[in-house]
Each structure stands twice: as structure tokens, then as C-alpha cells.
Amino acid sequence: MATVPYRIVQWTTGNVGKSSVRAIAASPDYELVGAFAWSDDKVGRDAGELVGIDPLGIPATNDTAALLALKPDCVVYNPMWINVDELVEILSAGVNVVTSASFITGHNLGDDRARLEEACRKGGATLFGSGVSPGFAELLAIVAATACDRVDKITITETADTTLYDSPDTERPVGFGAAIDDPDLAPMAGKGTAVFAEAVQLVADAIGVELDEITCVSEYAQTTEDLAMASWTIPAGHVAGVFASWRGIAGGETVIDINVRWRKGQTLQPDWQLDGDGWKITIDGRPTVNMQVGFTPPPDMIASATSIDDFFELGHIMTAMPPINAIPAVVAAEPGIATYNDLPLHLPRWPARNRT
């Protein structure tokens, strides 16, 4: 890592952004120099206050020009969805970007991907996207495949009971809450999870396979009773289970399958049974490699938790950290859109908790 800290601007302080700020503030390798406020009520407030830690002396602002004038080495960009115009402005100013906002390769963006590439060229900057899934899960699969002298198929299966995950803005676009007989339901999971198609392309590029096409197959399950959650209710007969499988096809065979199966409540029909929350990664080849990946809170988090909500921070941390760990490699990279296939392995240089 560099002896001079990387100068970082944090873009938004929502759930993932809070974990990003906390990590950046805790690392001697990064210096937070600015923070973007998405909502007016956060303007002028200290970034530390906004994320629940001691003040950092960094007031949040919605003045993009002022943030870019700070000449940061990198923007950590954590909105829920990307804003291409914002990214073009940042990259054109010569500032690198790492993001968790549903971006892996940008091929899902159509003509906007070319705009981002041009902005990278203009500013001499690099754009990198990751997260936990897609992102980190695909990196694990790529690493697992390096143990094989032949790779026939790669499958990444994500399963999760999302009953306690309360985010209708992100869940409705994939079909949750829609009537099970809604004529527009069939393609919803594909549209809402389109970034997984980019993840399929990432894995295909990693193993040197040229795909003929990438397709999506989806399934839905309904709740048989009204399902009340913290901020919304899914009525009986509406979608409370979503399955989407993005498949990379070559020579008529599925060579990459990245799929998700999410369910809510105990009244699902059909009653999908999940084998825990996490990922199962299978590399069919020689040898066949199987990985089961889950995550649990550390003992200190368990001891200090006051409600189940405290544990949701784990998902936010896992989403925030892959982009942050990539910052040194992204700053050193050639201008353009970079993926895991273009960068060296990122090393997790983070201190252990104080045991004294």
C-alpha cells in the first residue's frame, strides 16, 4: 500500500455508504477529504455524524464542483443505482471511481457504456464496479477455477430468506409484490437483475470462453396469506419468491449459470426450501470444485447487538469492501472500464480489532 494515503471522496451516505465511510476512516491508507450529500437535509452535516461515528471534520455537500476541486484520487460511489451523467462528470475530471451501484462491466448500459469509456479517456481515469453479489461471489468462482486444468461449467447459486430485508425500492423491480398472474411479471426478474448478465460476461472473459448468448430464466412463487413487513405488505396471491438464472451459452451448452433464489415468509407457494443463506459455487471440470460460502457476525457484534437490524450491517460491509479494497489497483490502472480480470488481486490490509 502507498505510504501517502489515497485521497477519497465518499459519494452518498446511505446504508452501504455508511459502511464505506467507517472503513475509510479506520484505515491509515485512506484519507476522507469530502462527502457527497444526496439529500438536502444532510448538507453541512459532518460525515462522521451521518454514519454514526465521531466527527471527521468533513461536512457533506451537494456541490459536485467543490468535491472535484479537492483533486481526490478516487470517488467511492455507493448510490443504489448509477447516474451516468454524474459518473461522466467525475471521470472526465480525472477522478477514478470504484462503485457498488449495480455495475460490473457496463455492457447492460447500451450507449451509456460508450459515454463512460469516453469520459475515462478524456480524464485519464478508471471505473471499477463490484459488490458482494455480483462481484465478490464471481471473484471467488474465478479463483476456484484456477485449481483446474479443464473447466466445463461454472455455477454460482445464491439463496437467501429476505423476509427481514425491508427495501421495496430494490425488491419491487425484480417482481416482489406483483400479482402472481400479472401479465407483465414474466420478464421482471430479468430486468431487475440485469447486472448479473454482466457478471456472466465477467466470468466468461476470465476463463477465455466466447459466449454465443446470455439468457435469463425466471420463476416466481406467491404468498398464500398477506405478508406484513416493516414498511410494506405483500398481499396474498402476490409474489414473495423470486428465482432468476442468468446463463452464458456456448455451442448450445450452458457454460456459466449465475442464479439467485430469494424468498419471504412461511406461506410461500410453491414452498421453496433453501439450504441456508449464501452462495454455492461449483466448478465442473478437472477436478470439480465445490464451495459453500456463508457469513456470520463476529462475537463482538453478537454481544453488542440490540436487535436483528444490527446484523444487517454485515451485508452492507460485504457490499462496500470489494470496491474499497480495489482502490490502490484502480488508481494504478490504465484509464478505462476495469474489471477483476484487468486488476491484480486485491489484498485485505485491515487491522484486527483491539484485543487488549
Side-chain angles (χ1 to χ4, degrees):
M1 301 287 281
T3 55
V4 177
Y6 295 96
R7 293 168 55 81
I8 307 299
V9 164
Q10 174 65 38
W11 209 274
T12 74
T13 54
N15 287 330
V16 176
K18 288 178 181 178
S19 292
S20 292
V21 171
R22 292 167 185 162
I24 292 165
S27 173
D29 298 309
Y30 301 125
E31 178 189 0
L32 186 71
V33 297
F36 179 81
W38 183 79
S39 55
D40 291 340
D41 64 310
K42 294 182 179 180
V43 172
R45 295 174 61 188
D46 188 271
E49 173 199 347
L50 289 173
V51 305
I53 60 176
D54 291 338
L56 298 173
I58 304 295
T61 179
N62 57 9
D63 186 339
T64 300
L67 290 172
L68 296 179
L70 295 170
K71 301 296 182 182
D73 296 300
C74 192
V75 162
V76 176
Y77 189 83
N78 296 136
M80 188 176 298
W81 312 108
I82 68 168
N83 181 314
V84 173
D85 290 337
E86 279 184 344
L87 289 178
V88 165
E89 184 175 4
I90 296 167
L91 295 165
S92 296
V95 180
N96 303 291
V97 175
V98 297
T99 181
S100 62
S102 297
F103 184 95
I104 300 295
T105 68
H107 287 96
N108 182 48
L109 298 176
D111 292 341
D112 280 337
R113 187 179 192 278
R115 291 182 60 206
L116 293 172
E117 287 187 307
E118 174 57 28
C120 288
R121 285 192 293 269
K122 178 180 177 181
T126 304
L127 170 62
F128 171 80
S130 184
V132 61
S133 176
F136 173 70
E138 284 64 41
L139 176 61
L140 289 179
I142 292 168
V143 171
T146 63
C148 307
D149 70 358
R150 190 189 78 221
V151 176
D152 302 324
K153 181 181 180 182
I154 294 180
T155 304
I156 304 172
T157 297
E158 175 183 327
T159 55
D161 185 326
T162 67
T163 305
L164 298 178
Y165 178 69
D166 186 55
S167 181
D169 287 344
T170 57
E171 294 179 299
R172 290 185 188 277
V174 302
F176 279 109
I180 196 67
D181 58 356
D182 186 330
D184 297 323
L185 179 61
M188 285 184 69
K191 292 179 180 178
T193 63
V195 69
F196 284 89
E198 297 185 15
V200 169
Q201 188 63 59
L202 171 73
V203 176
D205 291 343
I207 63 175
V209 171
E210 185 171 344
L211 300 175
D212 298 322
E213 61 176 332
I214 299 175
T215 63
C216 182
V217 175
S218 58
E219 300 173 10
Y220 303 91
Q222 62 181 311
T223 178
T224 58
E225 299 178 11
D226 289 355
L227 179 59
M229 290 167 290
S231 68
W232 64 310
T233 296
I234 298 179
H238 289 62
V239 172
V242 174
F243 169 80
S245 170
W246 284 96
R247 301 170 183 178
I249 312 296
E253 300 288 335
T254 297
V255 295
I256 299 165
D257 183 353
I258 300 178
N259 62 78
V260 297
R261 191 178 295 273
W262 302 315
R263 66 165 292 161
K264 289 183 179 295
Q266 301 304 310
T267 57
L268 205 65
Q269 183 184 61
D271 188 14
W272 296 342
Q273 297 301 304
L274 307 182
D275 186 20
D277 290 355
W279 299 271
K280 181 179 180 181
I281 298 172
T282 301
I283 315 297
D284 288 305
R286 192 172 67 178
T288 289
V289 181
N290 290 295
M291 300 172 61
Q292 190 78 37
V293 183
F295 53 93
T296 57
D300 57 314
M301 178 178 275
I302 295 174
S304 63
T306 58
S307 72
I308 192 67
D309 290 344
D310 292 333
F311 297 116
F312 289 141
E313 184 183 358
L314 289 176
H316 304 149
I317 292 170
M318 294 174 68
T319 301
M321 294 315 301
I324 289 176
N325 279 320
I327 289 173
V330 168
V331 171
E334 292 296 315
I337 295 173
T339 72
Y340 279 121
N341 298 328
D342 305 305
L343 303 177
L345 181 65
H346 313 148
L347 300 178
R349 302 290 177 83
W350 297 92
R353 69 181 178 89
N354 190 340
R355 293 182 173 84
T356 59

mmCIF file of all heavy atoms in Angstrom, residues 84 87-88 91-92 103 105-107 109-127 335-338:
data_model
loop_
_atom_site.group_PDB
_atom_site.id
_atom_site.type_symbol
_atom_site.label_atom_id
_atom_site.label_comp_id
_atom_site.label_asym_id
_atom_site.label_seq_id
_atom_site.Cartn_x
_atom_site.Cartn_y
_atom_site.Cartn_z
ATOM 1 N N VAL A 84 -25.424 7.947 -14.789
ATOM 2 C CA VAL A 84 -24.371 8.016 -15.799
ATOM 3 C C VAL A 84 -23.849 9.441 -15.957
ATOM 4 O O VAL A 84 -22.639 9.659 -16.108
ATOM 5 C CB VAL A 84 -24.874 7.454 -17.146
ATOM 6 C CG1 VAL A 84 -23.833 7.672 -18.246
ATOM 7 C CG2 VAL A 84 -25.186 5.967 -17.012
ATOM 8 N N LEU A 87 -21.374 10.117 -13.204
ATOM 9 C CA LEU A 87 -20.122 9.400 -13.412
ATOM 10 C C LEU A 87 -19.306 10.016 -14.545
ATOM 11 O O LEU A 87 -18.072 10.102 -14.456
ATOM 12 C CB LEU A 87 -20.393 7.929 -13.693
ATOM 13 C CG LEU A 87 -20.877 7.097 -12.509
ATOM 14 C CD1 LEU A 87 -21.153 5.669 -12.935
ATOM 15 C CD2 LEU A 87 -19.852 7.117 -11.380
ATOM 16 N N VAL A 88 -19.970 10.439 -15.596
ATOM 17 C CA VAL A 88 -19.261 11.090 -16.710
ATOM 18 C C VAL A 88 -18.561 12.352 -16.220
ATOM 19 O O VAL A 88 -17.403 12.619 -16.561
ATOM 20 C CB VAL A 88 -20.235 11.410 -17.860
ATOM 21 C CG1 VAL A 88 -19.615 12.385 -18.851
ATOM 22 C CG2 VAL A 88 -20.642 10.123 -18.583
ATOM 23 N N LEU A 91 -15.497 11.220 -13.901
ATOM 24 C CA LEU A 91 -14.410 10.599 -14.663
ATOM 25 C C LEU A 91 -13.745 11.607 -15.601
ATOM 26 O O LEU A 91 -12.519 11.608 -15.759
ATOM 27 C CB LEU A 91 -14.946 9.408 -15.443
ATOM 28 C CG LEU A 91 -15.458 8.228 -14.607
ATOM 29 C CD1 LEU A 91 -16.300 7.274 -15.459
ATOM 30 C CD2 LEU A 91 -14.295 7.470 -13.956
ATOM 31 N N SER A 92 -14.539 12.452 -16.222
ATOM 32 C CA SER A 92 -13.985 13.458 -17.141
ATOM 33 C C SER A 92 -13.064 14.429 -16.418
ATOM 34 O O SER A 92 -12.160 15.016 -17.024
ATOM 35 C CB SER A 92 -15.109 14.232 -17.828
ATOM 36 O OG SER A 92 -15.895 13.387 -18.641
ATOM 37 N N PHE A 103 -22.916 -2.283 -11.079
ATOM 38 C CA PHE A 103 -22.041 -2.102 -12.239
ATOM 39 C C PHE A 103 -20.904 -3.109 -12.156
ATOM 40 O O PHE A 103 -20.185 -3.167 -11.159
ATOM 41 C CB PHE A 103 -21.468 -0.683 -12.274
ATOM 42 C CG PHE A 103 -20.629 -0.382 -13.485
ATOM 43 C CD1 PHE A 103 -21.187 0.222 -14.593
ATOM 44 C CD2 PHE A 103 -19.276 -0.716 -13.522
ATOM 45 C CE1 PHE A 103 -20.421 0.492 -15.721
ATOM 46 C CE2 PHE A 103 -18.497 -0.457 -14.635
ATOM 47 C CZ PHE A 103 -19.080 0.150 -15.747
ATOM 48 N N THR A 105 -19.430 -4.658 -15.698
ATOM 49 C CA THR A 105 -18.728 -4.373 -16.955
ATOM 50 C C THR A 105 -19.342 -3.199 -17.713
ATOM 51 O O THR A 105 -18.713 -2.668 -18.623
ATOM 52 C CB THR A 105 -18.753 -5.601 -17.892
ATOM 53 O OG1 THR A 105 -20.103 -5.822 -18.337
ATOM 54 C CG2 THR A 105 -18.230 -6.849 -17.188
ATOM 55 N N GLY A 106 -20.585 -2.852 -17.382
ATOM 56 C CA GLY A 106 -21.273 -1.766 -18.075
ATOM 57 C C GLY A 106 -21.965 -2.165 -19.352
ATOM 58 O O GLY A 106 -22.623 -1.336 -19.986
ATOM 59 N N HIS A 107 -21.878 -3.443 -19.744
ATOM 60 C CA HIS A 107 -22.487 -3.851 -21.011
ATOM 61 C C HIS A 107 -24.013 -3.788 -20.971
ATOM 62 O O HIS A 107 -24.667 -3.785 -22.023
ATOM 63 C CB HIS A 107 -22.029 -5.262 -21.384
ATOM 64 C CG HIS A 107 -20.608 -5.313 -21.851
ATOM 65 N ND1 HIS A 107 -19.560 -5.632 -21.016
ATOM 66 C CD2 HIS A 107 -20.050 -5.043 -23.061
ATOM 67 C CE1 HIS A 107 -18.427 -5.578 -21.697
ATOM 68 N NE2 HIS A 107 -18.693 -5.213 -22.930
ATOM 69 N N LEU A 109 -25.609 -1.248 -20.130
ATOM 70 C CA LEU A 109 -25.980 0.156 -20.245
ATOM 71 C C LEU A 109 -26.179 0.636 -21.675
ATOM 72 O O LEU A 109 -26.544 1.790 -21.886
ATOM 73 C CB LEU A 109 -24.912 1.029 -19.579
ATOM 74 C CG LEU A 109 -24.698 0.802 -18.083
ATOM 75 C CD1 LEU A 109 -23.542 1.663 -17.593
ATOM 76 C CD2 LEU A 109 -25.964 1.092 -17.296
ATOM 77 N N GLY A 110 -25.923 -0.211 -22.643
ATOM 78 C CA GLY A 110 -26.092 0.212 -24.030
ATOM 79 C C GLY A 110 -25.135 1.335 -24.394
ATOM 80 O O GLY A 110 -23.941 1.287 -24.083
ATOM 81 N N ASP A 111 -25.658 2.387 -25.023
ATOM 82 C CA ASP A 111 -24.828 3.502 -25.482
ATOM 83 C C ASP A 111 -24.164 4.248 -24.330
ATOM 84 O O ASP A 111 -23.134 4.902 -24.524
ATOM 85 C CB ASP A 111 -25.659 4.485 -26.310
ATOM 86 C CG ASP A 111 -26.119 3.885 -27.637
ATOM 87 O OD1 ASP A 111 -25.512 2.888 -28.066
ATOM 88 O OD2 ASP A 111 -27.079 4.419 -28.216
ATOM 89 N N ASP A 112 -24.745 4.169 -23.126
ATOM 90 C CA ASP A 112 -24.161 4.876 -21.993
ATOM 91 C C ASP A 112 -22.793 4.307 -21.619
ATOM 92 O O ASP A 112 -21.975 5.008 -21.020
ATOM 93 C CB ASP A 112 -25.100 4.820 -20.782
ATOM 94 C CG ASP A 112 -26.217 5.844 -20.869
ATOM 95 O OD1 ASP A 112 -26.035 6.847 -21.584
ATOM 96 O OD2 ASP A 112 -27.261 5.642 -20.233
ATOM 97 N N ARG A 113 -22.542 3.046 -21.941
ATOM 98 C CA ARG A 113 -21.224 2.488 -21.655
ATOM 99 C C ARG A 113 -20.145 3.224 -22.462
ATOM 100 O O ARG A 113 -19.062 3.527 -21.948
ATOM 101 C CB ARG A 113 -21.168 0.991 -21.964
ATOM 102 C CG ARG A 113 -19.848 0.345 -21.523
ATOM 103 C CD ARG A 113 -19.839 -1.155 -21.823
ATOM 104 N NE ARG A 113 -18.724 -1.802 -21.150
ATOM 105 C CZ ARG A 113 -17.472 -1.837 -21.605
ATOM 106 N NH1 ARG A 113 -17.185 -1.238 -22.761
ATOM 107 N NH2 ARG A 113 -16.518 -2.451 -20.922
ATOM 108 N N ALA A 114 -20.463 3.535 -23.711
ATOM 109 C CA ALA A 114 -19.521 4.277 -24.549
ATOM 110 C C ALA A 114 -19.269 5.666 -23.975
ATOM 111 O O ALA A 114 -18.149 6.186 -24.042
ATOM 112 C CB ALA A 114 -20.044 4.370 -25.977
ATOM 113 N N ARG A 115 -20.294 6.288 -23.397
ATOM 114 C CA ARG A 115 -20.113 7.595 -22.762
ATOM 115 C C ARG A 115 -19.143 7.493 -21.593
ATOM 116 O O ARG A 115 -18.295 8.380 -21.391
ATOM 117 C CB ARG A 115 -21.452 8.139 -22.271
ATOM 118 C CG ARG A 115 -22.439 8.539 -23.359
ATOM 119 C CD ARG A 115 -23.714 9.106 -22.721
ATOM 120 N NE ARG A 115 -23.395 10.295 -21.919
ATOM 121 C CZ ARG A 115 -24.144 10.703 -20.888
ATOM 122 N NH1 ARG A 115 -25.217 10.014 -20.516
ATOM 123 N NH2 ARG A 115 -23.804 11.778 -20.210
ATOM 124 N N LEU A 116 -19.274 6.419 -20.807
ATOM 125 C CA LEU A 116 -18.378 6.234 -19.670
ATOM 126 C C LEU A 116 -16.952 5.971 -20.136
ATOM 127 O O LEU A 116 -15.987 6.492 -19.551
ATOM 128 C CB LEU A 116 -18.877 5.085 -18.792
ATOM 129 C CG LEU A 116 -20.205 5.327 -18.064
ATOM 130 C CD1 LEU A 116 -20.687 4.056 -17.389
ATOM 131 C CD2 LEU A 116 -20.058 6.455 -17.040
ATOM 132 N N GLU A 117 -16.807 5.174 -21.184
ATOM 133 C CA GLU A 117 -15.473 4.921 -21.727
ATOM 134 C C GLU A 117 -14.827 6.209 -22.224
ATOM 135 O O GLU A 117 -13.626 6.443 -21.991
ATOM 136 C CB GLU A 117 -15.549 3.895 -22.854
ATOM 137 C CG GLU A 117 -15.801 2.469 -22.399
ATOM 138 C CD GLU A 117 -15.692 1.490 -23.546
ATOM 139 O OE1 GLU A 117 -16.370 1.721 -24.573
ATOM 140 O OE2 GLU A 117 -14.947 0.514 -23.413
ATOM 141 N N GLU A 118 -15.591 7.029 -22.907
ATOM 142 C CA GLU A 118 -15.063 8.293 -23.415
ATOM 143 C C GLU A 118 -14.668 9.211 -22.260
ATOM 144 O O GLU A 118 -13.639 9.898 -22.312
ATOM 145 C CB GLU A 118 -16.102 8.973 -24.303
ATOM 146 C CG GLU A 118 -15.718 10.375 -24.785
ATOM 147 C CD GLU A 118 -14.398 10.402 -25.553
ATOM 148 O OE1 GLU A 118 -14.032 9.376 -26.187
ATOM 149 O OE2 GLU A 118 -13.721 11.449 -25.514
ATOM 150 N N ALA A 119 -15.477 9.233 -21.211
ATOM 151 C CA ALA A 119 -15.150 10.048 -20.044
ATOM 152 C C ALA A 119 -13.856 9.573 -19.393
ATOM 153 O O ALA A 119 -13.036 10.395 -18.952
ATOM 154 C CB ALA A 119 -16.292 10.008 -19.036
ATOM 155 N N CYS A 120 -13.660 8.252 -19.336
ATOM 156 C CA CYS A 120 -12.409 7.713 -18.787
ATOM 157 C C CYS A 120 -11.211 8.162 -19.626
ATOM 158 O O CYS A 120 -10.170 8.557 -19.088
ATOM 159 C CB CYS A 120 -12.465 6.187 -18.740
ATOM 160 S SG CYS A 120 -13.569 5.499 -17.480
ATOM 161 N N ARG A 121 -11.358 8.096 -20.952
ATOM 162 C CA ARG A 121 -10.267 8.518 -21.842
ATOM 163 C C ARG A 121 -9.983 10.008 -21.684
ATOM 164 O O ARG A 121 -8.824 10.429 -21.616
ATOM 165 C CB ARG A 121 -10.618 8.187 -23.297
ATOM 166 C CG ARG A 121 -10.506 6.714 -23.651
ATOM 167 C CD ARG A 121 -10.579 6.523 -25.150
ATOM 168 N NE ARG A 121 -11.894 6.861 -25.675
ATOM 169 C CZ ARG A 121 -12.889 6.004 -25.821
ATOM 170 N NH1 ARG A 121 -12.714 4.739 -25.465
ATOM 171 N NH2 ARG A 121 -14.047 6.387 -26.317
ATOM 172 N N LYS A 122 -11.051 10.793 -21.623
ATOM 173 C CA LYS A 122 -10.895 12.238 -21.519
ATOM 174 C C LYS A 122 -10.167 12.620 -20.238
ATOM 175 O O LYS A 122 -9.286 13.491 -20.238
ATOM 176 C CB LYS A 122 -12.272 12.912 -21.560
ATOM 177 C CG LYS A 122 -12.225 14.424 -21.413
ATOM 178 C CD LYS A 122 -13.630 15.022 -21.453
ATOM 179 C CE LYS A 122 -13.584 16.534 -21.237
ATOM 180 N NZ LYS A 122 -14.959 17.125 -21.248
ATOM 181 N N GLY A 123 -10.537 11.994 -19.129
ATOM 182 C CA GLY A 123 -9.956 12.365 -17.844
ATOM 183 C C GLY A 123 -8.753 11.542 -17.435
ATOM 184 O O GLY A 123 -8.110 11.854 -16.431
ATOM 185 N N GLY A 124 -8.455 10.481 -18.205
ATOM 186 C CA GLY A 124 -7.377 9.597 -17.790
ATOM 187 C C GLY A 124 -7.708 8.861 -16.511
ATOM 188 O O GLY A 124 -6.837 8.633 -15.664
ATOM 189 N N ALA A 125 -8.996 8.482 -16.352
ATOM 190 C CA ALA A 125 -9.472 7.882 -15.114
ATOM 191 C C ALA A 125 -9.948 6.450 -15.358
ATOM 192 O O ALA A 125 -10.170 6.022 -16.492
ATOM 193 C CB ALA A 125 -10.604 8.727 -14.526
ATOM 194 N N THR A 126 -10.144 5.723 -14.265
ATOM 195 C CA THR A 126 -10.577 4.329 -14.320
ATOM 196 C C THR A 126 -11.854 4.151 -13.517
ATOM 197 O O THR A 126 -12.009 4.731 -12.432
ATOM 198 C CB THR A 126 -9.481 3.395 -13.769
ATOM 199 O OG1 THR A 126 -8.275 3.611 -14.506
ATOM 200 C CG2 THR A 126 -9.883 1.937 -13.887
ATOM 201 N N LEU A 127 -12.756 3.332 -14.047
ATOM 202 C CA LEU A 127 -14.024 2.999 -13.396
ATOM 203 C C LEU A 127 -14.049 1.508 -13.103
ATOM 204 O O LEU A 127 -13.821 0.688 -13.998
ATOM 205 C CB LEU A 127 -15.198 3.394 -14.298
ATOM 206 C CG LEU A 127 -16.593 2.912 -13.908
ATOM 207 C CD1 LEU A 127 -17.006 3.474 -12.550
ATOM 208 C CD2 LEU A 127 -17.609 3.301 -14.986
ATOM 209 N N PRO A 335 -6.358 4.010 -17.906
ATOM 210 C CA PRO A 335 -7.698 4.592 -17.998
ATOM 211 C C PRO A 335 -8.671 3.650 -18.719
ATOM 212 O O PRO A 335 -8.291 2.932 -19.638
ATOM 213 C CB PRO A 335 -7.478 5.870 -18.805
ATOM 214 C CG PRO A 335 -6.034 6.216 -18.581
ATOM 215 C CD PRO A 335 -5.327 4.900 -18.476
ATOM 216 N N GLY A 336 -9.915 3.686 -18.279
ATOM 217 C CA GLY A 336 -10.950 2.878 -18.914
ATOM 218 C C GLY A 336 -11.805 2.174 -17.888
ATOM 219 O O GLY A 336 -11.689 2.393 -16.681
ATOM 220 N N ILE A 337 -12.703 1.320 -18.378
ATOM 221 C CA ILE A 337 -13.538 0.489 -17.511
ATOM 222 C C ILE A 337 -12.751 -0.772 -17.178
ATOM 223 O O ILE A 337 -12.346 -1.514 -18.077
ATOM 224 C CB ILE A 337 -14.871 0.145 -18.194
ATOM 225 C CG1 ILE A 337 -15.698 1.417 -18.399
ATOM 226 C CG2 ILE A 337 -15.656 -0.867 -17.354
ATOM 227 C CD1 ILE A 337 -16.959 1.209 -19.210
ATOM 228 N N ALA A 338 -12.512 -1.009 -15.899
ATOM 229 C CA ALA A 338 -11.726 -2.157 -15.460
ATOM 230 C C ALA A 338 -12.607 -3.146 -14.714
ATOM 231 O O ALA A 338 -13.588 -2.760 -14.066
ATOM 232 C CB ALA A 338 -10.576 -1.704 -14.557
#
